[in-house]
Amino acid sequence: MAVAEAQLYAKVSSQHRGRSTSALLEPLLAKGFPAHTAQKALVATGQKTIEDAVKWLHSHCNDPSLDDPIPQEYALYLCPTGRLHSRLQDFWKESKRQCGKNRAHEVFPHITLCDFFTCEDQKVELLYDILKRVGDSFSQSFPRSISLTLHASPSYLGFFIDDSQANVLKEFAVAFSSEASALADCHVKPSLKQFHLTLAHRFYPHHQKTLERLAKCINPGEPCQWVAALYSRDMRFVNYQRLRALFQYKPQNIDELMINAGDLIYVDPRQQSDVSEGWVIGTSHRTGCRGFLPENYTEKAHEADTWVRHREYVFDTASRSFTKTEKEPNAKLNGEAHNLSTSRSATNVLSLQNAALRRGVLVMRHGERVDQVFGKSWLQQCLTADGKYYRADLNFPSSLPRQKDSMKQFECDPPLSCCGIFQSRLIGEALLDQEVTVSYMYSSPALRCVQTAQHVLQGLKLHQKVKIRVEPGLFEWTKWEASRAIPDFMTVAELVEASYDIDTSYRGNFPLSSLVPSESYEDYVSRSSAVIKQIISACPSKGRGVILIVGHGSSLASLTRALTGLPNRDRGDFAQMVRKIPSLGMCFCEEQKEENKWQMVNPPVKTLTHGANTAFNWRNTIMED
């Protein structure tokens, strides 16, 4: 047990535990559930219905922490609804598209009234009663509308609340915290800082102007009804990352985690260093179970996605500032609103943005390489006694291209597997379906990259029109080469002889002789920055064609961050990030109205996800006793 978790146990077990009188509790007790687990289920589902609690209990039947006495943490937020909420969600969506994710995207639009505090499960109903009682006492003094003033700094953007109105909100927060501390035995701290509604936080300084421009599209005077809402979270996972499952995964081994599409997973970053590439250790929010799961079956989720909304108090200013006859769409407080109407001003910004786009740069990792599947000794598995190649498994390539020297060169410069060839062609076909126009194709000199470029072009039906420019400067960080030497790549002449569509007139910006074994991280990112700038300058800016670059996992960050002006990642973070990039992982950058100003956006096609398929021996499997 972790030290922090042990301290939680000690803290909770020493407290007096009463007995809840919840009307929902008795039916659960009648079904045979123990009182403490029934109370935990009610709290975990927001004490909404008996059916929700029963479903939670059945899902957590194998949860090893089901009997743990650790309570939830609660916070009180003031949340906007109506048109203002819709405009804020428009800003959230567009700011994420143009500037990437920042800390504000983790939580929905809100003003913090009381920071997170703990409350025992059997006393949560007291919080509900206190919220209603305090809300009623402030209903007449609550501001008819809240004045919001935009404030910006290099790391923060948000609305500040007018002092006179903020004082009323602070009095409300103090009243709630005082009663909760006295009656529910909670240590509640009201938020007494400058009240604010955050729009963006911890973003890159060069994004400030873009974010300010988008924020000015929000009319803070839009009709709005404010809701004081109580949220809870599992205090054990506060510092964990959150993932959302994209697909179902059925465990193949006893230490793996069963997940369904949509499941939320808690992942402790500190526990991932010794995990095999492509896997993470996670705890399921739905079941409480823990185990290994494939990381490429997931995507990052927001912090608030795992929170539970409990009771709320609606300040009734509808007759004065908001009416249902305006037919505003309903909005969810803990997620994106349904059927949001985009504001005219935000739409204009989006239209202007789209009109300004020119060139695109698509950076792609190569397809599955053969040693990825069969290990570093793959070549020994498919050579006869006299040194001739044969196909030992259907995922080995049907043949190897001819080289002037020994085939041992392939050990340091492995080809694609058959699945890698299929993947590459499939990506090309998907790009063709999306009518992506590739005007230039660049490739690392590694054979797996050249082959990927060739088969992507075939999928695009451009292999007779667009030639592959082999650029040595696109090779990966040489420190990661197992042989500690630069591989002996196939020459341009050998690639042409092997029927690859190579641009023989192209002269690389970095000759092969310039690649240094075991180069420093600083040298690698400097090389990547120089090569992407030279590629951009060599491709005419007229038209909106895509420059497609096939490189390595490291290329996705080193090239795109240099192109968009983002600072280099920390060396340790860089290595952790690269190991998460799958075969054919992609990043896409678009040029803005100002020439040579780029931003990252969603790639034109989805990624390719697939499961492992182990070697099968029917005799050992079917016939064994």
Side-chain angles (χ1 to χ4, degrees):
M1 181 188 304
V3 175
E5 197 166 341
Q7 291 173 345
L8 289 176
Y9 274 84
K11 177 182 176 182
V12 174
S13 60
S14 64
Q15 294 180 351
H16 172 73
R17 299 182 64 81
R19 188 167 182 81
S20 173
T21 57
S22 169
L24 296 175
L25 180 61
E26 294 303 326
L28 294 177
L29 298 178
K31 291 177 180 291
F33 295 112
H36 66 286
T37 56
Q39 287 170 337
K40 178 178 276 194
L42 288 170
V43 167
T45 55
Q47 296 211 24
K48 294 180 175 64
T49 67
I50 297 171
E51 291 74 16
D52 288 342
V54 170
K55 183 178 179 180
W56 186 93
L57 286 164
H58 287 158
S59 296
H60 285 258
C61 61
N62 294 318
D63 183 352
S65 66
L66 187 61
D67 293 325
D68 292 350
I70 299 178
Q72 295 278 301
E73 284 188 322
Y74 297 82
L76 185 64
Y77 289 152
L78 187 67
C79 305
T81 63
R83 285 185 183 175
L84 179 58
H85 179 267
S86 299
R87 302 303 174 252
L88 292 168
Q89 289 288 12
D90 292 340
F91 171 85
W92 247 251
K93 190 173 182 180
E94 187 60 15
S95 65
K96 188 175 181 180
R97 190 189 77 84
Q98 294 196 31
C99 301
K101 185 178 176 182
N102 64 69
R103 193 68 180 85
H105 290 114
E106 291 291 335
V107 187
F108 41 81
H110 70 280
I111 299 169
T112 301
L113 298 177
C114 296
D115 292 318
F116 277 101
F117 60 91
T118 59
C119 180
E120 296 177 73
D121 292 345
Q122 69 272 23
K123 296 180 180 179
V124 173
E125 279 195 282
L126 293 173
L127 297 181
Y128 300 166
D129 295 338
I130 293 167
L131 178 60
K132 184 179 187 309
R133 185 163 57 252
V134 175
D136 286 343
S137 67
F138 276 81
S139 61
Q140 296 303 312
S141 59
F142 190 84
R144 294 167 63 93
S145 62
I146 295 180
S147 298
L148 304 173
T149 304
L150 188 64
H151 173 81
S153 73
S155 63
Y156 177 84
L157 181 71
F159 289 118
F160 279 9
I161 314 302
D162 178 79
D163 285 345
S164 61
Q165 297 172 339
N167 288 335
V168 177
L169 302 184
K170 289 178 181 179
E171 290 172 8
F172 172 80
V174 169
F176 174 86
S177 61
S178 298
E179 288 206 31
S181 298
L183 302 178
D185 195 24
C186 302
H187 184 58
V188 186
K189 286 186 177 181
S191 179
L192 298 178
K193 299 178 183 178
Q194 171 76 57
F195 271 24
H196 57 275
L197 191 156
T198 299
L199 296 176
H201 183 39
R202 293 184 186 175
F203 49 84
Y204 289 109
H206 65 275
H207 285 151
Q208 182 180 347
K209 288 185 178 179
T210 301
L211 291 169
E212 283 188 57
R213 186 177 73 250
L214 292 173
K216 289 175 182 177
C217 295
I218 303 171
N219 176 12
E222 291 276 13
C224 174
Q225 192 165 30
W226 293 89
V227 175
L230 200 61
Y231 285 84
S232 74
R233 67 183 183 186
D234 194 321
M235 63 193 302
R236 296 173 300 166
F237 304 114
V238 170
N239 296 315
Y240 282 47
Q241 293 177 348
R242 292 154 188 84
L243 302 177
R244 187 188 307 278
L246 297 171
F247 315 100
Q248 183 186 61
Y249 179 75
K250 295 182 179 180
Q252 308 296 313
N253 298 290
I254 194 171
D255 59 352
E256 294 176 3
L257 182 66
M258 171 69 184
I259 57 174
N260 292 328
D263 279 2
L264 292 163
I265 314 294
Y266 298 106
V267 172
D268 185 351
R270 299 167 298 181
Q271 298 177 347
Q272 307 307 314
S273 57
D274 297 328
V275 180
S276 300
E277 183 176 353
W279 291 79
V280 293
I281 303 174
T283 301
S284 170
H285 175 73
R286 179 176 60 86
T287 66
C289 296
R290 185 170 181 268
F292 292 90
L293 66 147
E295 191 172 16
N296 63 350
Y297 276 48
T298 66
E299 65 179 0
K300 286 187 178 180
H302 294 154
E303 179 183 340
D305 290 345
T306 56
W307 294 0
V308 177
R309 183 157 62 98
H310 291 258
R311 297 297 186 268
E312 61 182 33
Y313 187 90
V314 180
F315 289 98
D316 188 12
T317 57
S319 60
R320 292 169 287 176
S321 60
F322 181 83
T323 62
K324 290 293 183 181
T325 58
E326 291 178 86
K327 296 183 180 180
E328 271 297 298
N330 293 327
K332 297 197 303 179
L333 290 176
N334 60 341
E336 291 198 4
H338 289 294
N339 301 321
L340 292 178
S341 57
T342 306
S343 67
R344 184 174 301 171
S345 53
T347 303
N348 289 341
V349 171
L350 182 59
S351 299
L352 180 63
Q353 187 70 20
N354 287 335
L357 299 181
R358 297 180 181 179
R359 293 174 293 176
V361 174
L362 181 62
V363 184
M364 179 186 300
R365 188 190 180 189
H366 56 75
E368 179 186 87
R369 46 194 273 183
V370 70
D371 60 331
Q372 226 175 303
V373 184
F374 300 103
K376 297 298 181 184
S377 61
W378 68 273
L379 195 56
Q380 283 70 42
Q381 301 173 44
C382 53
L383 287 181
T384 61
D386 57 353
K388 293 183 179 180
Y389 175 82
Y390 76 99
R391 198 177 190 183
D393 184 283
L394 285 181
N395 202 20
F396 280 107
S398 57
S399 62
L400 295 177
R402 292 177 56 187
Q403 294 200 42
K404 61 180 182 300
D405 298 321
S406 164
M407 279 202 294
K408 286 189 176 295
Q409 291 177 226
F410 290 119
E411 288 183 341
C412 297
D413 187 23
L416 294 179
S417 66
C418 271
C419 284
I421 293 171
F422 168 75
Q423 292 170 340
S424 305
R425 197 164 298 171
L426 188 63
I427 290 293
E429 292 171 353
L431 291 169
L432 179 64
D433 288 343
Q434 293 300 313
E435 299 181 351
V436 174
T437 303
V438 173
S439 301
Y440 301 94
M441 172 70 84
Y442 285 82
S443 171
S444 159
L447 178 58
R448 56 191 179 275
C449 296
V450 175
Q451 290 180 320
T452 300
Q454 177 75 16
H455 292 290
V456 168
L457 286 176
Q458 288 180 355
L460 277 162
K461 298 182 179 178
L462 290 175
H463 54 290
Q464 300 294 330
K465 300 177 182 178
V466 177
K467 299 292 185 180
I468 302 168
R469 295 178 173 182
V470 178
E471 173 53 65
L474 292 172
F475 189 56
E476 64 183 340
W477 186 9
T478 60
K479 184 178 179 180
W480 286 343
E481 279 300 297
S483 65
R484 301 301 180 194
I486 305 301
D488 190 4
F489 301 115
M490 292 182 66
T491 65
V492 168
E494 288 173 332
L495 292 171
V496 171
E497 185 181 351
S499 299
Y500 296 111
D501 297 307
I502 307 298
D503 184 348
T504 57
S505 65
Y506 178 73
R507 297 294 177 263
N509 296 296
F510 285 78
L512 281 172
S513 59
S514 68
L515 296 179
V516 179
S518 300
E519 68 187 327
S520 68
Y521 176 60
E522 291 72 22
D523 286 343
Y524 170 67
V525 294
S526 176
R527 166 163 63 91
S528 299
S529 177
V531 76
I532 188 62
K533 290 175 182 177
Q534 290 170 352
I535 286 175
I536 295 302
S537 63
C539 300
S541 58
K542 293 182 179 180
R544 296 183 60 181
V546 169
I547 304 167
L548 203 161
I549 300 174
V550 180
H552 307 266
S554 56
S555 305
L556 271 67
S558 63
L559 297 179
T560 59
R561 291 179 77 87
L563 185 58
T564 55
L566 295 177
N568 298 328
R569 297 185 68 128
D570 176 80
R571 177 176 177 172
D573 292 340
F574 180 77
Q576 289 295 320
M577 178 273 301
V578 170
R579 63 187 287 273
K580 299 177 182 179
I581 297 173
S583 300
L584 277 304
M586 289 176 284
C587 284
F588 191 53
C589 299
E590 285 182 331
E591 190 175 32
Q592 302 306 286
K593 184 177 182 180
E594 299 177 71
E595 192 171 320
N596 284 326
K597 295 291 184 181
W598 299 79
Q599 73 171 20
M600 290 186 67
V601 296
N602 287 329
V605 298
K606 300 291 185 181
T607 56
L608 175 66
T609 304
H610 58 85
N613 192 61
T614 57
F616 173 66
N617 186 309
W618 66 269
R619 189 182 301 279
N620 294 342
T621 304
I622 305 301
M623 300 300 291
E624 67 180 2
D625 293 331

